[in-house]
Amino acid sequence: MIDADLIVVGAGPAGLATALNAARVGLRTVVLEPRPSPIDKACGEGLMPGAVRALGELGVRPAGRVIRGIRYTDGRRVVDAAFRNGSGLGVRRTSLQGALLDAARVAGVKVVDARAEEVHQDSYGVCVDGRRARYLAVADGLHSPIRRQLGLERPAGSSPPRWGTRQHFAVAPWTDLVEVHWRPGAEAYVTPVGPDLVGVAVLSGEQAPFTEQLAAFPGLRDLLPEAGATSVRGAGPLLQRTSARVAGRVLLVGDAAGYVDALTGEGIAVALACARALVDCVVAGDPGAYEQRWRAASRRYRSITSSLLWARRQPLLASRIVPLAARLPWLFGAAVQQLAH
């Protein structure tokens, strides 16, 4: 007996966007999520203009702060680039998840307080802990247990791992840009998310307490109150390789589908595009087509992020990223427009 057309595991932005897209085309959709909402996560919380547009198409407009563009600085040089086609949005992850959850429920999505553990499938459907659907969308995060259970996980290889940590500070934003502060081996991302709140996320190849990570950026540290307004959240290792996005009637979306790095801030935009592609393939009854659709939707993100990350790991190149951007602001602006797409 089929209980739903689509079961979605995970009520983060990728899972809820998938469920919302599915409900809007008439699919009976159930979301399984054991964590209480709103769900928080370590992230930079800066949505690129493409992500803002995609959310608007779903009728989701979370409260936040308008982001005009991106700024790079190494403490001596500063270069800004404004978005040319629309604005970004600085928004708390809890606000984004809550807005998507409200929209999904209004659309008729059933959200169940349950953890997905055992997944079995046949030629007619997928069974998740006794619940049966025609298809399963897996959106259970960076370290997806279901991805591992299905044997779709690949080793990271020789790439040095990177981790992310984030904390909010009760201070009025001093700019309407996302600031990226560079130093050897790490970046700090400052995102305005409220009238008196900024989020600071540090990406680094070192695992160390957030206060130690932040101390490496003295110019930024001097702009912040001594105590954070929220607790520190962390994530990593960020690089997650996946052998495929499709296994029969099971499809991976969001971070569960594979992840390169948070360096370019495109995670939500890519997740939203892939959520739409996944539902298109389910409606067409052609889950196998999703692999190619996923590759197409994520190609620019994977290419730009991998290239910038490679340059970041070369000592000579890494030290020249900000000076080069400041010397060639038109090139920096062109790169920002690619990210904003």
Side-chain angles (χ1 to χ4, degrees):
M1 180 178 178
I2 298 294
D3 300 307
D5 295 307
L6 179 67
I7 291 176
V8 179
V9 175
L16 290 173
T18 301
L20 186 51
N21 274 289
R24 285 164 64 96
V25 295
L27 298 181
R28 294 172 297 158
T29 307
V30 175
V31 175
L32 306 182
E33 176 55 68
R35 296 169 295 177
S37 291
I39 299 171
D40 205 356
K41 179 184 177 182
C43 60
E45 300 182 322
L47 302 182
M48 296 296 101
V52 176
R53 288 193 295 271
L55 287 170
E57 291 170 2
L58 290 173
V60 178
R61 296 174 178 82
R65 298 281 291 189
V66 170
I67 294 174
R68 184 173 55 84
I70 296 177
R71 167 179 292 160
Y72 273 18
T73 178
D74 61 5
R76 291 183 298 166
R77 305 168 187 84
V78 178
V79 56
D80 297 352
F83 299 134
R84 294 174 190 160
N85 297 305
S87 299
L89 187 69
V91 56
R92 287 287 306 271
R93 174 53 66 99
T94 48
S95 298
L96 174 60
Q97 194 266 343
L100 279 162
L101 182 61
D102 289 343
R105 283 176 167 155
V106 168
V109 173
K110 183 179 180 181
V111 181
V112 179
D113 179 7
R115 185 182 305 277
E117 296 183 350
E118 293 295 327
V119 174
H120 303 282
Q121 62 176 312
D122 53 37
S123 57
Y124 299 102
V126 184
C127 187
V128 184
D129 301 324
R131 294 180 177 87
R132 189 164 170 80
R134 293 195 298 124
Y135 297 97
L136 172 65
V138 177
D140 56 350
L142 196 65
H143 303 287
S144 167
I146 295 179
R147 181 182 67 207
R148 191 178 311 116
Q149 182 185 148
L150 294 173
L152 299 178
E153 198 161 78
R154 288 176 51 199
S158 59
S159 300
R162 298 228 303 167
W163 290 268
T165 50
R166 186 218 65 202
Q167 189 170 32
H168 296 100
F169 292 85
V171 61
W174 53 86
T175 178
D176 56 1
L177 305 169
V178 170
E179 281 191 342
V180 185
H181 296 250
W182 291 78
R183 77 164 182 83
E187 314 91 51
Y189 299 74
V190 185
T191 306
V193 293
D196 296 296
L197 194 69
V198 300
V200 180
V202 178
L203 301 183
S204 172
E206 302 176 1
Q207 282 188 293
F210 185 78
T211 52
E212 291 182 19
Q213 300 267 22
L214 192 56
F217 302 90
L220 170 59
R221 187 68 192 87
D222 290 346
L223 296 174
L224 302 171
E226 290 188 8
T230 63
S231 60
V232 175
R233 288 189 170 270
L238 298 175
L239 178 62
Q240 298 295 318
R241 298 189 186 279
T242 309
S243 59
R245 265 47 56 177
V246 183
R249 289 176 171 267
V250 181
L251 305 91
L252 310 184
V253 68
D255 295 353
Y259 195 75
V260 180
D261 198 90
L263 190 64
T264 56
E266 291 186 279
I268 293 295
V270 172
L272 293 171
C274 292
R276 185 169 57 250
L278 185 155
V279 172
D280 287 346
C281 294
V282 166
V283 170
D286 187 9
Y290 175 62
E291 181 69 30
Q292 186 61 34
R293 291 285 301 273
W294 179 89
R295 289 182 181 277
S298 65
R299 184 173 293 119
R300 185 182 61 252
Y301 154 73
R302 290 182 288 114
S303 175
I304 294 176
T305 305
S306 296
S307 298
L308 188 54
L309 192 57
W310 178 85
R312 187 72 175 97
R313 287 169 171 155
Q314 314 307 310
L316 290 178
L317 285 177
S319 64
R320 294 173 181 171
I321 289 175
V322 176
L324 180 63
R327 191 176 305 120
L328 301 173
W330 63 268
L331 181 61
F332 177 63
V336 167
Q337 302 322 309
Q338 286 295 310
L339 301 179
H341 182 72

